[in-house]
């Protein structure tokens, strides 16, 4: 069993072996206390989605753009932004 320390600010750093074993992100976990200790679970802000779940969320209904079209639009935007003096 791994051990760790509780800081004066109440922060707990879980050992890498524990994080790796649970495939936890380095960000945040949800915790709650009980009679027997503390239970930690990874905080997942969004449920898993598929492409089909989010298609159409932008509201664009026109013809699909090619990669070349997108690259041209990006280059045009960068050029316009630089001309205004914003980098």
């Amino acid at each position: 069993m791994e051990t760790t320390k509780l800081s004066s600010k109440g922060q707990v750093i879980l050992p890498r072996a524990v994080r790796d074993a649970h495939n936890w992100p380095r960000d945040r976990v949800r915790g709650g206390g009980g009679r027997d200790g503390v239970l930690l679970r990874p905080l997942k802000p969004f449920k898993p989605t598929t492409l089909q779940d989010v298609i159409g969320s932008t509201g664009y209904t026109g013809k699909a753009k090619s990669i070349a079209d997108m690259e041209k639009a990006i280059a045009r935007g960068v050029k316009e932004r630089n001309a205004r003096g914003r980098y």
Side-chain angles (χ1 to χ4, degrees), residues 4-54:
T4 188
K5 292 182 180 180
L6 182 64
S7 76
S8 61
K9 295 181 179 181
Q11 297 170 329
V12 176
I13 303 298
L14 297 174
R16 176 179 294 276
V18 173
R19 295 190 316 265
D20 290 348
H22 294 280
N23 195 26
W24 281 356
R26 295 183 50 172
D27 197 12
R28 296 174 183 237
V29 294
R30 178 178 301 191
R35 266 190 322 194
D36 297 328
V38 176
L39 174 65
L40 298 176
R41 292 191 174 132
L43 184 61
K44 297 179 181 176
F46 302 105
K47 67 177 186 169
T49 59
T50 65
L51 181 59
Q52 294 303 318
D53 293 333
V54 296

Side-chain angles (χ1 to χ4, degrees), residues 60 62-74 76:
Y60 181 75
K63 181 181 172 189
K65 302 291 183 182
S66 70
I67 298 294
D69 290 339
M70 289 186 266
E71 288 174 346
K72 287 178 189 175
I74 291 168
R76 187 171 47 248

